[in-house]
Amino acid sequence: MFESLGDCGDVCAYVEGKAEAGLALGTSPLKLAGTSTVSVEAGGCYEDECAGVGGAVDAYGELPGPVMRYGFAIDLPCPVPDVGITLKILPSPGVSPSLDWCDMNPLW
């Protein structure tokens, strides 16, 4: 879904959100796995240049398992890196942070 705030001629702002869910059945070994993602982005545009900030929350689980993970990410404009965290709940707890540097063109 995309909502525009303004006419998007020279200047405008936008908000975009998305939700996805999936379910899979595996047969070797037999398991049922489910995923879900909710994401949102907001930003603005001036003429043809746009900048925005977004984030997403992910969940994954399977039976029998048990396996359960949750993730959170923030998408920031360059040159700031995107930040993410994955929390593994089952079978053994753990935290995995991540930084994703954007591709910047060299100035020379």
Side-chain angles (χ1 to χ4, degrees):
M1 176 187 350
F2 181 79
E3 282 297 321
S4 173
L5 308 173
D7 64 4
C8 277
D10 288 338
V11 178
C12 70
Y14 66 90
V15 177
E16 182 179 28
K18 180 170 55 169
E20 298 176 355
L23 195 59
L25 178 62
T27 58
S28 180
L30 184 62
K31 72 176 177 179
L32 180 65
T35 63
S36 64
T37 301
V38 176
S39 62
V40 66
E41 181 180 347
C45 301
Y46 177 71
E47 294 184 351
D48 291 334
E49 300 296 321
C50 297
V53 175
V57 177
D58 301 302
Y60 174 85
E62 64 183 50
L63 293 172
V67 172
M68 197 174 299
R69 292 189 304 261
Y70 298 97
F72 174 77
I74 299 175
D75 183 17
L76 300 169
C78 285
V80 180
D82 298 342
V83 178
I85 294 176
T86 299
L87 303 173
K88 185 175 159 189
I89 308 301
L90 295 170
S92 59
V95 176
S96 301
S98 64
L99 288 177
D100 184 16
W101 294 92
C102 60
D103 295 326
M104 293 181 54
N105 295 324
L107 298 175
W108 57 88

